[in-house]
Amino acid sequence: MEAAEALTLLMSPQGRIDPYPTYERLRAHGPVVEALPGMYVVTGYAEADELLRDPRLVVLDDALRDEVWPDWRESPAVASIARSMLRTNPPDHSRMRRLAAGAFTPRRIASMRDVVRAQAEDLLDAMCHRAGDGAPVDMLSDFAYPLPVGVICALLGVPEADRPLFRRWASDLTGVLEPEITLEELAVADAGATELRDYFVELVVARRNAPADDLTTALVQVHDADGDRLTGHELLANLVVLLVAGFETTTNLLGNGLVVLLGHPEAAAALRADPGLAPAYVEELLRYDSPVQLTTRTSSAPVRCGGLDLPAGSVTLLLLGAANRDPRRFPDPQRFDPTRDQAHPLSFGAGPHYCLGAGLARLEAQLAFPLLLRRLPELALAGTPQHRTRLTLRGYQSLPVTLGTPAAADRGTPAGAGPSTP
């Protein structure tokens, strides 16, 4: 299959639902291939890692976006993402990232272990109560969504009663992160972005009037003290992105990972018996079925990588999910093997845009998986789960499961062991 044909297949609904066979078709052309004129696709681990760290590879900032999409400011979804640290380059990116980084230090994340564990236990108790008659429950709605959304909302200072609002808004907004989007999908994303922005406008006013010990208050105070350090547009955009990124990827990590574990009962039994294995398991789950499958960069200057010359102005599609299955880096990459020597999957990126909340996502997963397996030894899928037709953020639409007979709750037994990986 020609590279251009494989890229078209990858962007199709079928290709988005199961991208891994198409990744191998692209890999057959080499770790870097020019799939279309001026568009390069990267499937190699070393090449993706190198380009993510290369300062000549930049995200599509305002100036570049103006060249390809002059009307982008009219889209609330695109504008929300564009004003955040997710879509800015140094020095603006560095400035905004520093302002939020204090909430995600390894020490701060480690201090949240008991809080995250308690939230996970409470959610599991409630889920077991709802499934008392043996009926299936949706693991996404009952556990994989509310756990990370509760954690990030607590950091941001979002009232608990408001947290159910965000799932649909965020799901709608993140459609704009796909490499291709229709006008209808863009309209849905714009509606979600507008709802989120309006919500945070009200929260900013509330925190300005009644400061609290949360990240929203901290960012509001930075903006009010010096608008050059954080403009009003940047304040709202980063609050939106911190919320969405803070739970969307972790929800997918928990959902994707649970399906993998249930499909590998011997590995699940080993983790159930020894929660101390959780860090290695989470790294392998991130590698095997990454919740983030791709990111894009534009060359600000000529770059040579993978034996090819990428001219200035070229677009590079970095397939993180493919890089995580590069056989040059991971022997027998199609096999789920939590005992393999870890080689740092690229699921959270690399370089200056490395995911700010990676340590927090790892902590939540390291606690959640042993807890679920220990408390629910008969946990099983209730049918075949269906993936969303999304490529960038890979996850399930719903995840119906049966719980079986829960084991007795033992809150004195750790749900996970070992420090979180920063």
Side-chain angles (χ1 to χ4, degrees):
M1 179 178 288
E2 294 296 326
E5 186 181 358
L7 183 60
T8 299
L9 175 60
L10 185 65
M11 299 303 162
S12 70
Q14 174 190 351
R16 294 180 186 213
I17 289 174
D18 183 10
Y20 295 107
T22 311
Y23 289 160
E24 298 312 309
R25 293 186 173 102
L26 287 163
R27 195 189 312 281
H29 295 276
V32 182
V33 59
E34 187 176 15
L36 297 171
M39 173 173 280
Y40 295 80
V41 177
V42 180
T43 56
Y45 180 99
E47 293 76 14
D49 186 54
E50 175 186 338
L51 292 174
L52 286 168
R53 299 174 189 275
D54 193 319
R56 294 170 295 181
L57 271 289
V58 298
V59 298
L60 196 66
D61 60 14
D62 287 4
L64 293 170
R65 195 176 291 105
D66 284 337
E67 295 179 9
V68 298
W69 192 355
D71 299 330
W72 65 267
R73 290 175 179 82
E74 298 177 9
S75 164
V78 177
S80 290
I81 299 297
R83 294 290 184 233
S84 74
M85 66 183 86
L86 189 66
R87 286 290 187 269
T88 49
N89 295 301
D92 288 337
H93 170 265
S94 309
R95 168 178 54 82
M96 287 186 274
R97 186 180 175 99
R98 279 195 300 269
L99 295 176
F104 300 95
T105 63
R107 181 184 298 274
R108 178 72 180 271
I109 291 168
S111 72
M112 298 176 65
R113 176 173 289 271
D114 290 343
V115 173
V116 173
R117 181 186 294 124
Q119 287 192 23
E121 293 272 13
D122 289 343
L123 288 168
L124 184 48
D125 289 343
M127 185 168 60
C128 290
H129 178 73
R130 280 191 291 275
D133 60 355
V137 296
D138 183 1
M139 182 61 70
L140 291 185
S141 296
D142 291 342
F143 188 89
Y145 166 74
L147 178 61
V149 83
V151 172
I152 192 63
C153 283
L155 279 174
L156 289 171
V158 172
E160 185 173 355
D162 294 343
R163 295 171 189 176
L165 299 170
F166 297 118
R167 187 176 183 186
R168 179 180 60 80
W169 295 346
S171 178
D172 291 347
L173 169 61
T174 53
V176 81
L177 298 177
E178 290 298 299
E180 292 184 352
I181 186 170
T182 66
L183 291 176
E184 292 77 10
E185 291 167 336
L186 181 60
V188 171
D190 284 340
T194 300
E195 297 276 15
L196 281 164
R197 183 191 60 198
D198 291 348
Y199 179 87
F200 278 110
V201 167
E202 293 184 6
L203 184 62
V204 164
V205 172
R207 287 295 173 268
R208 186 171 283 130
N209 294 332
D213 182 19
D214 56 46
L215 184 53
T216 298
T217 299
L219 294 178
V220 168
Q221 291 174 344
V222 168
H223 167 264
D224 291 352
D226 184 358
D228 289 336
R229 291 183 65 199
L230 190 69
T231 70
H233 289 304
E234 291 170 346
L235 170 63
L236 292 174
N238 281 293
L239 287 172
V240 168
V241 165
L242 285 167
L243 172 76
V244 172
F247 77 82
E248 180 83 10
T249 54
T250 308
T251 293
N252 291 342
L253 168 59
L254 295 175
N256 297 354
L258 184 62
V259 171
V260 174
L261 289 172
L262 293 179
H264 295 81
E266 291 185 2
L271 180 58
R272 181 183 298 112
D274 184 2
L277 299 174
Y281 269 67
V282 170
E283 294 309 294
E284 177 66 355
L285 290 168
L286 284 166
R287 182 201 71 80
Y288 186 78
D289 197 11
S290 175
V292 180
Q293 290 283 312
L294 65 87
T295 188
T296 58
R297 296 290 187 270
T298 299
S299 303
S300 63
V303 177
R304 184 168 180 80
C305 183
L308 296 181
D309 291 315
L310 284 60
S314 58
V315 175
T316 303
L317 190 66
L318 298 127
L319 298 177
L320 306 179
N324 285 341
R325 294 196 180 192
D326 185 346
R328 300 175 303 164
R329 183 77 175 196
F330 303 98
D332 194 9
Q334 313 303 329
R335 179 168 59 93
F336 174 69
D337 180 10
T339 68
R340 72 170 69 242
D341 291 335
Q342 296 301 323
H344 307 293
L346 292 176
S347 308
F348 293 116
H353 281 273
Y354 182 77
C355 177
L356 192 60
L360 184 57
R362 284 185 165 105
L363 172 65
E364 293 175 53
Q366 289 169 13
L367 294 172
F369 289 128
L371 170 66
L372 290 167
L373 295 173
R374 190 186 80 245
R375 290 276 307 277
L376 302 172
E378 299 173 10
L379 181 65
L381 295 175
T384 302
Q386 299 297 315
H387 274 102
R388 295 190 298 174
T389 53
R390 295 277 181 89
L391 180 58
T392 301
L393 298 180
R394 176 170 168 80
Y396 291 97
Q397 295 178 8
S398 63
L399 191 52
V401 296
T402 54
L403 306 187
T405 303
D410 181 5
R411 290 179 180 259
T413 301
S420 63
T421 304

